[in-house]
Amino acid sequence: MALAFALWGAEANAYCRQALLLALDVSSSVDSEEYALQRDGLAQALLSPGVKAALFTAPGDVALAVYEWSGRYQQAVVMDWVLLRDEATLRQAVARMLRRPRSHNQFPTAIGYALGFGAGLLRDAPRCDRDTLDMSGDGISNDGFSPALAYGAFEFGDTVVNGLVIGDAPDVLRYYGNEVIRSAGAFVETARDYTDYEAAMTRKLIREISVGVIGAAPRTRLSGSGGG
């Protein structure tokens, strides 16, 4: 019991530099093969040498959570908040994510609702210096309210919302650039198709995890950790 209290106290006083929330598109436009490429590509990206270096060579922890989204009411947590303290916790998190079956496969694309769901998950995140939400998708929202209404209705604070557009449709890229990404420094990464998803996700994770690391100083302390 004394050891458990000691470990909890150490974790409660840890410094969390970033809460990173990843949102995966499972709408009807994503077939089973594409879904597998997306899920497995994310796993391989998280375990890549470049991402591990970005995660673990800077002071402080990164908190990670993952959810899937499609229609208005079709969002599902794949992995709740977990602190990535070292490579062992990262590998445990990836294994947990890979064990979860696909949540939905027959609903439209409701990006506004997906953003609102993400805002709720961010409220439960550990207290970190920065909050980042990543929206991956291959289409324009065609169900429910718009991203603009989501940003007006839900509390996002200083959260940076980045995008990963899958495919080469110029209208989708413009839509993400004009409607989805949010806050200073936000960006859109692109994957040519789902076979390019791993490489695109790797680039994006390295870029966003590395932001603000050089010369950064802790501003907040962790008040609690998420379960996984």
Side-chain angles (χ1 to χ4, degrees), residues 23-36 38 67-76 102-114 135-143 164 166 172 176 194:
L24 307 179
D25 183 359
V26 293
S27 60
S28 58
S29 64
V30 182
D31 65 27
S32 59
E33 180 179 357
E34 291 168 340
Y35 174 75
Q38 180 177 214
Y67 70 101
E68 295 177 346
W69 64 273
S70 55
R72 296 187 186 199
Y73 309 112
Q74 288 75 43
Q75 302 93 28
R102 178 173 180 162
S103 56
H104 301 286
N105 61 9
Q106 57 182 346
F107 295 94
T109 302
I111 296 179
Y113 278 80
M135 296 294 300
S136 292
D138 64 3
I140 292 171
S141 189
N142 56 23
D143 187 36
L164 197 167
I166 307 159
V172 179
Y176 267 71
Y194 280 90

Side-chain angles (χ1 to χ4, degrees), residues 22 47 61 74 92 98 107 136 160 214:
L22 306 179
L47 294 173
D61 299 324
Q74 288 75 43
Q92 291 167 6
L98 290 174
F107 295 94
S136 292
V160 174
I214 303 301

Side-chain angles (χ1 to χ4, degrees), residues 158-209:
D158 295 329
T159 298
V160 174
V161 179
N162 295 324
L164 197 167
V165 171
I166 307 159
D168 56 3
D171 57 335
V172 179
L173 183 59
R174 284 194 299 269
Y175 182 81
Y176 267 71
N178 295 332
E179 306 291 336
V180 177
I181 65 171
R182 174 189 183 273
S183 199
F187 66 94
V188 179
E189 183 59 76
T190 58
R192 293 186 306 275
D193 53 31
Y194 280 90
T195 64
D196 190 40
Y197 186 87
E198 177 185 336
M201 176 60 78
T202 301
R203 292 193 300 271
K204 183 175 65 60
L205 289 172
I206 291 172
R207 178 174 175 181
E208 63 198 354
I209 294 170

Side-chain angles (χ1 to χ4, degrees), residues 11-110:
E11 186 168 279
N13 290 322
Y15 163 51
C16 180
R17 72 179 191 266
Q18 184 176 15
L20 179 60
L21 179 58
L22 306 179
L24 307 179
D25 183 359
V26 293
S27 60
S28 58
S29 64
V30 182
D31 65 27
S32 59
E33 180 179 357
E34 291 168 340
Y35 174 75
L37 287 167
Q38 180 177 214
R39 180 201 60 198
D40 296 348
L42 171 59
Q44 292 304 313
L46 286 167
L47 294 173
S48 68
V51 171
K52 287 191 291 186
L55 285 169
F56 302 128
T57 57
D61 299 324
V62 173
L64 178 70
V66 182
Y67 70 101
E68 295 177 346
W69 64 273
S70 55
R72 296 187 186 199
Y73 309 112
Q74 288 75 43
Q75 302 93 28
V77 175
V78 174
M79 185 181 68
D80 208 347
W81 291 105
V82 59
L83 285 173
L84 303 179
R85 314 300 299 270
D86 48 32
E87 186 168 347
T89 56
L90 172 62
R91 289 189 175 277
Q92 291 167 6
V94 169
R96 191 178 311 146
M97 181 186 71
L98 290 174
R99 286 196 296 268
R100 287 293 300 269
R102 178 173 180 162
S103 56
H104 301 286
N105 61 9
Q106 57 182 346
F107 295 94
T109 302

